[in-house]
Each structure stands twice: as C-alpha cells, then as structure tokens.
Amino acid sequence: MPELERHSFDVLVIGAGGAGLRAAIEAREHGMRTAVLCKSLFGKAHTVMAEGGIAAAMGNVNSSDSWQVHFRDTMRGGKFLNNWRMAELHAQEAPQRVWELETYGALFDRTKDGRISQRNFGGHEYPRLAHVGDRTGLELIRTLQQKIVSLQQEDFKEFGNYEERLRVFQEFTVTDLVKDGDRIAGAFGYWRESGRFVLFEAPAVILATGGIGKSFKVTSNSWEYTGDGHALALRAGASLINMEFIQFHPTGMVWPPSVKGILVTESVRGDGGVLRNSDGKRFMFDYIPEVFKDKYADNEEEGDRWYTDQANNRRPPELLPRDEVARAINSEVKAGRGSPHGGVFLDVSTRLPAEEIRKRLPSMHHQFKELADVDITAQPMEVGPTCHYVMGGVEVDPDTGSSSVAGLYAAGEVSGGMHGSNRLGGNSLSDLLVFGRRAGAGAAEYVRALDQRPAVSEDTVTEARATALKPFQQEGGENPYTLHMELQQSMNDLVGIIRRQAEMEEALQRLEKLKERAQSLTVEGHQQFNPGWHLALDLRNMLLVSECVAKAALLRTESRGGHTRDDHPSMDAEWRRKLLVCNVDENGVSVEEKPQIPIRSDLLDLFDRAELEKYLTAEELS
Amino acid sequence: MSYQGKFRVWRGDDSGGGLEDFTVEVNEGEVVLDIIHRLQATQAPDLAVRWNCKAGKCGSCSAEINGRPRLLCMTRMSVFDESETITVTPMRTFPIIRDLVTDVSFNYTKAREVPSFAPPKDLAPGEYRMQQVDVERSQEFRKCIECFLCQNTCHVVRDHEENKEAFSGPRFLMRVAELEMHPLDTADRVDQAQDDHGLGYCNITKCCSEVCPEHIHITDNALIPMKERVADRKYDPIVWLGNKLFKRS
C-alpha cells in the first residue's frame, strides 16, 4: 500500500465557490492556516453560472430600499418558512459584503452618479441586484479568487511561501469526514488526477459544496452538484432540514436536447422580457396567487408602466417568485399551449432594441446564438423549468454556521433555512458572501478556543480507503453511468416539480433497488483520472440525498414554495410551524418533525397583519 | 436525425500515447463534449476529460478539435460534415496528464506573479465612485473565463518551453492591462508588464484574440495599449532625457 499523503491545517474548506472562498478568506484573516479543497480547477466552481446579480439593499437606484424591505421580500419568497434570523442577518449584511468586493477589485456596472447599479428581479420590491451584465457569478468568483491570490502574495512577502497560510488543493474530492469521538478531526479524499489518497487533519471543516441538482435529469447544475456536503454532513452525524424544497427555475433552455436545462437568466424578465404561450398570450396574468394579488399588476398596461414608474404601478406577474412562474409554465405546457419543443416562449426581442439586449444580456445572446441558432434580439427563446437549487441543507446556527457536530460548519447552498421553501433570485450570491464570512469566523473562533486538538485513528483511515476502493474490487457489477441515468430519470419523473403520494412511494422503492445495485458497482481501469470511478463515489452521495428529498416530500402534505403536491394543493399554516429534519444512522435515513422557531416579534411587526394572516395560524397571531 | 460519426481521440499519458478511432452516435443539436461523454458512457469509461458547466462559462473543457483550440462544449457538431472524421487532441502547450486533460498549473503560477489590485487607501468600502464608461475597458477583460486557449495558441510559448519562464502569456498580460486601466487602482503596472511579464515577446499576431471564446479583443484593447504605454515611458526621448538629467532610475 503506498504511503498516505498527510496534511495538517486549522480550518478545511470543502468547495471553492462563493461561500467556500469567502469562508477561506475570513478564516485566513482570523489567522488560521486554511486549506480549500475543490473538485474542479480553482475558479471554475458553479458560482460562475450565476447570471443576474447579488441582492443587497444598498438603495443606489431606489433610495426607499432598506434591509427591512429586503427581509420582508425574502420571507415572502420563502413563504415564511425561512429561518428568520438568517434572513435578518442576510438582509442587514449583504450591502457590506458587496462593497467589500469592490475593495478586492470587483467592477460592477454603475449608476449615472458612479455608484453600483442595481437591477430588478423576481420577488424584490425595488431594483436591488448589483450586477455585471449577465455574468455576475463570474465576477464574484474571479474577484474572490484574486483576493485569495493577494493573501497568498502577502504570505510570500512575509514567509517566502505563497501557501504558508492559505492553500488550494484543486481537482480533489473528499469522500469522508473523519471524527475523533463526537468532534470533527479532518477529512479523507483523493486527488482526481492521480487517484492517490490524502488525509487532512483539521479541527474544523466548513462545507461549501453547493447543491444536489445532478440527481435530476433536467438541471441547470454542473457535474459537481452531487450533494457531497449534504451526504458528508449526514454521515458525520449532522442533520439536514427542508430537503423537500427544490427550486425549479422557470426558464431553462429546452432545445437542443443536449443543452436542455441550461439556465436562462431571470434578468431577461427583470429587464422587460415576457412569457407567452403558443396563442401569443401573456399567460402569467392568469396565475397570480391570492397571497400576491395586491403586489402584482393584473393587466399588461400597468405591468409595462411599472418598468419606468414603480411608485405608481404594480409589477408585472412575470416577476413573481420562481416557484409560481415555474408552476405556471408547467400548467401551460400540460394544457397543450406550449412551444414546439415543450416549453413556452420568452420574448425580449419585441421589448427592447437589439443594441440594448446585446448590452444588458450579452451572455444570453451568445449562449442562444452558439448553442441553439437563435438570435434573441429577433426571435423569442423557448424555455421551461429546470432543477436549479436546493433550499434544504445542513441545519446550522445562523450566527456562526455551526452544525450540530462540533467542528463542522456549512455555508451557501449546502446549508438550509435561509431561503425557507423558495429562494429569491439574487439572494444566493449574497447568501454565499454573508454566511461564507460568518462560517469562516465561526470556525476560527472554535479552533482558537480548543485546548486540545482532535486526533485521527488509523482504523478510520483504513475504513475510508476501503470504501473508496470498493468499486475496483468487484467484478461483473453494473456501470455507474447506467445507475446514474436511472436515478436522474426517477427523481425527475417521480419527485419533480409536481408531486403525488403514489409516485413518491414508487420513487422510494426504486431508490431501494438502486441502493442495492450500487453495492456491486464495477469500474474499469485504474485510479488515475478515472471518471467512472469518480461517478461511482459520487453516486453514493446522490442516492443518500435523493432518499432524504423523497422521504421528506412524502411527509409534507401541503404545497409551499419548491414543494408542490398535486394531492395537497394548498398551503397549510400548521405546516409552516414544522420543519422536517433528516438524519442517518445504521438503519438508514429517518425524517422527523421539529417545531419551527417562532419569528421574533419586532420582525413580525414589519408586516401588515392582513399579510401575516395568509401565512400564520390564529394561535400565532393572537 | 442521428448518424454514426467518426472520431479520433488522443489517448495516453505523460509517457506517451496516440490517436484512437471511434465510431459513435451523433444526434441533432449536440456539441463535441456530448460525444466525448457518450464515449465515456458506452465505449471508454475511463476516458479523461476536464469539463464543468457545459455552457461556455467556466472555461474547463479546452482542447484542440481538428487542430484548432476550442471549447468542447461550445463546438456544435453541425459545423462538421457528417462524413468528416473529427480529431480531438489535448492542448499542446501544457504537459499531458491523461487523455484530453493537461496540467495547466503554468497559468496559476503566472496569475500569482501579477501584483493584486491596489485599492485607494482613503476610500472606505461603499465610497467607491466610478463612471460606467471608465469601468467598461477593464470589464471587457474581466469577461475572461480562463479557458487558457489564448495561452495555448500563443506561438511564444506553444513550441518554446524556454520562453515560459519570462513570458506570462496573453491571459496574464491582459490581467496587467485590466488593473492598469482600473479607474481606482493605485499601482504602476507599466514597467512590470515589460520587465516582469515579458510583454516585449508579443509581436501582435492576434492569434490569442482569434481563439478567444468570449471574443475579447485581447491584442487590440489590452496588449497594444500596454505596449504603447511602455513605449511612451521607455522610449520617449524627452522622458529619457528628463530621467537622465534628474537622475530618476
């Protein structure tokens, strides 16, 4: 057996997207020796795909904006299931986090008076999204990457070594977290390039691994989104909440087949784009739900006036929260009013001059031109729902990002609670920054307060190695690609955008069979850069997380945000008071109800009583 | 609309390798990366390829298709004739790891050598004011997805390993230009560009601009303006005389 590579750090960050990099910067600035472990190359994380912007109530475009308004919008978007403390911290701190990016070198689009420009987005009352055209995620990731490089340059000056206090291990996969008793002691994984194993000893681990979209067939997520952090947390004894809530973004590409699911930014609608069915009708006016009736225009004239006069008009219903728009598109297609390739039409060509479209939506223009032969300045796009984001994740302490396991932290998409049952567009990038920073600080404080470092036992390492090598040791089993495709099809068809009891029960049966078959997966070749082996290991995580989603979705007998039950179509105020918590032990996945923490009264006072009556029980209101 | 396409894919590692022939199904609307993935799923499960977003936004899947540097995810199969044999090889300028995956650490080394943004000390976060027209120049360069195709195609390093130490390549010379043109950056980057990053090696053949999947005008908007600033500083006779007379370096 080749000798095991070993490293020792104060803080390990798993994932190098926005949350991971911001956490690493914070931990390093707190004096921690910090390592970032990521599956892709440094700077390629899924955050680059974010297009529209970062929501932060800076009030640069409309000075009526404030953190209180942002908080209200976030709670409404999440149908009041959000962890209110997270929503509060997020709304309060997002402006600071955006301004800080400018000191790292970010270049946002500007207002006429030279401040950061802000754009409209679904569910946000005022123009609130700081942006760079429609490539805001790229700006965010590059800015954080360059900040990390600048910290490394400081270390080079001081120690003659760029990696003295902050090191990135790229193209590296973590397969298991390692514990010493009840506490985190490090992580075990392999270099994707060579397949060689590495043990990291560290008292604190921050999970920033993003989402789970690769368990679904039609998704905007990249291959990295296999629920690694969710599964690592579960296996380490932490709990997940809200796993039944999955956001289907209303506008993914539907044609050609090979790009089905790729995201079409919400900015298209924020900047004036409209949705039409095959009859040419702007159908969203027929889908304004009762709870939003007084906030959205009920006719095209008023909706159109809103773009120039927001004080005296209500916003167009194309800008309803994502769950509403996705369901509406789904219904139109089902009713036979869809586009030729099974979506609806999203048209900006008749709404803005061609030059303006190319300026505001350059990467959409490029994406459609190159991938679908469609010129969005002259033709409508065809779009349909795509699995985009998981609201559920590791249950954390809002202020520090700590999970229930000592030394284990989570930030960004892998954490749960902030977005309740549905995330607003633009609230993801701000979430990454606000809670990435908080987790970095939380982990640093934890490490500083330790009087004794945890130790890693050799047995744990032997076991982790054996688990990772298992697919090579078996013969005659199945190819991981086949299993992955079946999993994606089952989740898409049976636990997708519209759910029914019988279908979810069938999904759980299929998952049981897939789990059995996964026991005997076989991969060919050797450990060096072997995608079949990588997928076999990722499948273990996808299967575990999919089971949480299906089990939680089966239990929640109401429809709310990213969880729509055909057999329980309405929202139930009693269910708002309950969280579904997933845990794993030797018997597998269990899901239990837990009471939701009541909203603090001064935050409740930010809403009209009439609005609260739509969400809260009479008991809570009394 | 499907057909059986003919492919030749380079397979091997740092000890050597060669082109391998495959016949594989091609469907309407597909890109080359789809075909590589189909090969993995059906014929060559251990075929190594680096990719991520599959939407031309992350710059991971760089390779050479029929000898031309391109992103695998943005090259549509419809640009080829159905009878054509399509050859896919790894980027030539970087060391091979395996199959289509190369060791691009050269680029990360060079990135670290560019001094970072130097913010103005008297401005607090939130106080930055810049005009759109002024940020647009650097914003064009920040569209870069770091696919490194420009680095791969640049003849200064493509077949000249010996130049790699002194020359940062178009991507990182553009990064220097981006910082130089940042309205609030306080550092002086002109001498750095010439002395530390080898701007003088570039003889503006524009190959980098030609392969850029983001259509950034690397040569026209970044490299040539930097060369002009260097020329103004280093070769302007009046500046030269002034420096001599007043003993400035």
Side-chain angles (χ1 to χ4, degrees):
Chain A
M1 203 180 289
E3 188 155 350
L4 186 68
E5 182 180 338
R6 284 172 185 260
H7 298 279
S8 178
F9 285 91
D10 297 324
V11 175
L12 287 186
V13 180
I14 307 178
L21 296 186
R22 188 63 190 82
I25 289 166
E26 196 65 17
R28 156 67 177 77
E29 289 192 326
H30 277 70
M32 295 292 122
R33 284 193 68 241
T34 306
V36 178
L37 279 48
C38 54
K39 294 208 284 188
S40 277
L41 290 174
F42 184 30
K44 306 296 184 199
H46 200 52
T47 305
V48 306
M49 298 293 283
E51 292 161 353
I54 311 177
M58 297 183 284
N60 291 353
V61 172
N62 189 323
S63 57
S64 308
D65 205 5
S66 66
W67 77 260
Q68 288 90 342
V69 185
H70 192 181
F71 170 81
R72 277 204 301 255
D73 289 345
T74 301
M75 294 296 289
R76 282 175 190 137
K79 300 267 163 50
F80 280 70
L81 195 89
N82 317 54
N83 178 306
W84 52 264
R85 175 63 179 161
M86 290 178 95
E88 179 191 21
L89 289 170
H90 168 260
Q92 287 173 340
E93 295 177 3
Q96 287 298 331
R97 298 286 81 75
V98 173
W99 287 324
E100 185 175 72
L101 292 178
E102 287 200 304
T103 71
Y104 299 171
L107 283 174
F108 293 103
D109 288 346
R110 317 306 296 182
T111 60
K112 284 216 166 53
D113 63 354
R115 293 186 291 172
I116 295 172
S117 175
Q118 299 187 267
R119 68 157 42 117
N120 289 307
F121 234 59
H124 292 281
E125 189 165 339
Y126 297 114
R128 190 177 283 147
L129 271 67
H131 58 273
V132 187
D134 55 2
R135 55 159 192 86
T136 315
L138 174 67
E139 185 69 12
L140 182 79
I141 204 95
R142 199 65 80 232
T143 300
L144 293 172
Q145 182 183 356
Q146 287 165 350
K147 175 64 181 176
I148 288 202
V149 165
S150 93
L151 290 169
Q152 292 181 323
Q153 290 172 344
E154 283 176 21
D155 278 6
F156 185 73
K157 269 194 200 129
E158 199 173 335
F159 304 100
N161 175 13
Y162 285 109
E163 294 175 334
E164 182 69 25
R165 288 180 295 188
L166 181 52
R167 182 166 171 194
V168 179
F169 293 79
Q170 55 181 1
E171 301 197 309
F172 186 92
T173 300
V174 171
T175 56
D176 277 301
L177 296 177
V178 181
K179 286 171 75 179
D180 176 5
D182 293 336
R183 321 184 278 168
I184 285 293
F188 180 88
Y190 63 92
W191 290 107
R192 299 177 73 82
E193 182 183 320
S194 62
R196 280 185 298 114
F197 293 116
V198 184
L199 173 70
F200 287 90
E201 292 178 274
V205 170
I206 301 172
L207 298 171
T209 53
I212 67 165
K214 273 293 156 188
S215 299
F216 290 79
K217 189 177 171 199
V218 179
T219 176
S220 63
N221 294 174
S222 80
W223 67 265
E224 295 193 280
Y225 268 35
T226 50
D228 296 5
H230 290 81
L232 289 170
L234 279 173
R235 289 199 295 265
S239 45
L240 308 184
I241 55 168
N242 294 349
M243 290 306 290
E244 64 275 34
F245 298 108
I246 295 194
Q247 181 171 85
F248 289 82
H249 193 291
T251 59
M253 292 178 79
V254 295
W255 196 91
S258 80
V259 298
K260 192 165 179 165
I262 289 182
L263 192 64
V264 179
T265 177
E266 190 166 324
S267 321
V268 176
R269 284 170 284 136
D271 288 349
V274 293
L275 291 162
R276 291 202 179 95
N277 63 20
S278 58
D279 303 333
K281 184 177 176 198
R282 269 178 81 175
F283 57 84
M284 280 309 299
F285 289 98
D286 301 339
Y287 292 92
I288 305 172
E290 201 49 47
V291 289
F292 290 123
K293 278 252 186 294
D294 49 342
K295 298 252 179 291
Y296 288 83
D298 53 15
N299 62 83
E300 294 193 22
E301 293 72 27
E302 181 180 351
D304 285 349
R305 282 197 305 269
W306 176 84
Y307 286 100
T308 46
D309 177 10
Q310 292 173 8
N312 298 306
N313 296 286
R314 290 170 299 173
R315 54 192 21 243
E318 277 87 1
L319 292 177
L320 276 160
R322 289 175 174 173
D323 52 330
E324 309 288 355
V325 183
R327 275 192 297 272
I329 294 174
N330 200 61
S331 305
E332 285 296 304
V333 174
K334 256 194 182 156
R337 295 188 292 269
S339 67
H341 299 101
V344 295
F345 296 106
L346 171 61
D347 184 23
V348 69
S349 67
T350 57
R351 309 274 300 171
L352 288 176
E355 191 44 46
E356 197 60 26
I357 296 172
R358 276 192 290 268
K359 197 178 159 82
R360 290 203 213 177
L361 303 164
S363 73
M364 283 306 104
H365 181 249
H366 183 237
Q367 180 174 314
F368 272 88
K369 191 101 193 144
E370 303 270 330
L371 293 175
D373 271 335
V374 167
D375 178 0
I376 68 166
T377 66
Q379 298 162 271
M381 299 162 246
E382 276 187 76
V383 296
T386 177
C387 178
H388 184 54
Y389 189 89
V390 60
M391 271 66 73
V394 181
E395 188 176 20
V396 291
D397 168 54
D399 290 71
T400 62
S402 173
S403 74
S404 53
V405 174
L408 184 62
Y409 295 75
E413 190 171 350
V414 68
S415 69
M418 159 69 206
H419 305 287
S421 68
N422 173 53
R423 175 175 69 78
L424 292 185
N427 270 1
S428 182
L429 294 185
S430 41
D431 169 12
L432 306 182
L433 296 170
V434 168
F435 295 104
R437 174 182 157 276
R438 283 189 163 271
E445 291 312 316
Y446 168 80
V447 173
R448 186 160 293 152
L450 283 178
D451 45 19
Q452 203 187 357
R453 289 223 165 197
V456 177
S457 78
E458 287 311 306
D459 287 353
T460 333
V461 175
T462 313
E463 200 186 318
R465 185 198 294 261
T467 310
L469 285 175
K470 198 173 163 213
F472 285 113
Q473 261 118 41
Q474 303 178 128
E475 278 173 35
E478 287 179 274
N479 166 341
Y481 296 98
T482 316
L483 246 69
H484 186 209
M485 281 191 280
E486 285 183 38
L487 170 67
Q488 291 180 316
Q489 193 74 54
S490 298
M491 290 304 284
N492 225 76
D493 295 349
L494 305 174
V495 201
I497 181 164
I498 308 289
R499 298 163 175 176
R500 292 169 197 87
Q501 180 179 341
E503 289 182 355
M504 288 184 284
E505 284 165 353
E506 194 193 330
L508 283 165
Q509 285 168 12
R510 286 203 206 168
L511 282 169
E512 276 310 308
K513 292 203 183 97
L514 287 170
K515 271 159 58 185
E516 270 168 45
R517 286 161 62 192
Q519 289 300 317
S520 56
L521 280 181
T522 304
V523 297
E524 289 173 36
H526 39 76
Q527 279 171 250
Q528 196 195 19
F529 218 118
N530 185 336
W533 180 44
H534 300 166
L535 181 59
L537 295 177
D538 294 344
L539 256 178
R540 179 168 77 126
N541 299 335
M542 285 188 268
L543 286 166
L544 186 63
V545 172
S546 297
E547 192 178 341
C548 291
V549 174
K551 281 189 166 159
L554 181 60
L555 283 178
R556 188 173 279 272
T557 49
E558 66 156 352
S559 291
R560 178 186 299 272
H563 172 64
T564 305
R565 291 281 300 252
D566 210 25
D567 45 359
H568 297 277
S570 51
M571 192 158 69
D572 175 351
E574 282 299 334
W575 265 113
R576 196 205 69 79
R577 306 175 74 181
K578 290 182 256 185
L579 294 176
L580 293 174
V581 183
C582 304
N583 280 292
V584 164
D585 59 19
E586 57 278 9
N587 302 316
V589 173
S590 64
V591 184
E592 279 167 7
E593 283 182 17
K594 179 179 166 178
Q596 170 79 285
I597 310 152
I599 304 172
R600 210 174 63 217
S601 64
D602 61 305
L603 294 175
L604 270 188
D605 291 344
L606 295 172
F607 298 90
D608 291 343
R609 194 179 162 89
E611 181 169 19
L612 292 177
E613 282 168 357
K614 297 172 187 169
Y615 299 99
L616 273 56
T617 60
E619 186 194 337
E620 289 170 283
L621 287 165
S622 62
Chain B
M1 304 287 252
S2 300
Y3 67 94
Q4 295 294 312
K6 291 196 283 293
F7 275 76
R8 309 189 79 189
V9 182
W10 196 91
R11 301 212 62 189
D13 54 29
D14 57 359
S15 63
L19 291 166
E20 228 174 89
D21 286 292
F22 295 96
T23 303
V24 55
E25 182 185 309
V26 179
N27 302 311
E28 191 187 0
E30 287 185 330
V31 293
V32 175
L33 185 58
D34 290 312
I35 311 305
I36 299 293
H37 283 159
R38 185 162 299 125
L39 284 176
Q40 283 183 334
T42 57
Q43 302 180 40
D46 61 345
L47 171 62
V49 61
R50 189 182 269 138
W51 67 289
N52 198 324
C53 77
K54 206 174 173 288
K57 290 191 167 67
C58 76
S60 298
C61 63
S62 307
E64 301 190 3
I65 302 171
N66 292 343
R68 194 183 160 79
R70 308 186 71 129
L71 293 178
L72 296 173
C73 75
M74 294 302 277
T75 307
R76 299 189 73 190
M77 286 303 298
S78 58
V79 303
F80 305 106
D81 196 89
E82 288 189 12
S83 60
E84 200 173 336
T85 299
I86 296 157
T87 305
V88 187
T89 48
M91 289 193 283
R92 193 167 91 191
T93 303
F94 310 117
I96 298 281
I97 293 175
R98 209 161 74 79
D99 302 339
L100 300 175
V101 179
T102 56
D103 175 358
V104 292
S105 56
F106 166 74
N107 300 290
Y108 289 91
T109 305
K110 293 297 176 187
R112 264 188 197 161
E113 291 169 0
V114 179
S116 298
F117 173 59
K121 291 208 166 48
D122 56 335
L123 289 183
E127 291 177 355
Y128 286 34
R129 297 291 179 272
M130 295 175 264
Q131 289 303 311
Q132 182 62 34
V133 63
D134 295 325
V135 298
E136 266 168 14
R137 299 207 296 174
S138 296
Q139 278 185 331
E140 183 194 2
F141 310 143
R142 291 183 73 84
K143 274 162 58 184
C144 171
I145 58 173
E146 298 204 329
C147 64
F148 309 128
L149 288 175
C150 60
Q151 305 283 85
N152 174 51
T153 206
C154 180
H155 63 94
V156 176
V157 283
R158 187 167 169 93
D159 290 309
H160 293 280
E161 197 62 29
E162 72 279 9
N163 287 341
K164 280 187 177 171
E165 190 166 343
F167 183 66
S168 295
R171 164 52 187 131
F172 297 102
L173 287 164
M174 181 175 84
R175 166 76 172 143
V176 177
E178 172 212 314
L179 289 162
E180 172 67 16
M181 295 178 197
H182 187 300
L184 292 176
D185 182 66
T186 58
D188 181 354
R189 314 216 172 238
V190 174
D191 291 342
Q192 280 171 24
Q194 188 77 357
D195 303 340
D196 303 340
H197 303 292
L199 180 63
Y201 283 76
C202 164
N203 47 4
I204 53 173
T205 50
K206 299 199 182 187
C207 312
C208 52
S209 309
E210 215 169 282
V211 299
C212 178
E214 287 294 305
H215 309 296
I216 301 172
H217 298 97
I218 306 172
T219 318
D220 289 347
N221 292 352
L223 305 182
I224 291 176
M226 280 313 283
K227 278 177 172 285
E228 286 170 352
R229 289 177 194 206
V230 169
D232 279 350
R233 168 103 35 110
K234 294 214 165 202
Y235 307 111
D236 184 315
I238 296 173
V239 173
W240 178 84
L241 188 67
N243 283 343
K244 280 280 169 203
L245 287 175
F246 301 106
K247 301 235 185 305
R248 279 183 291 189
S249 66

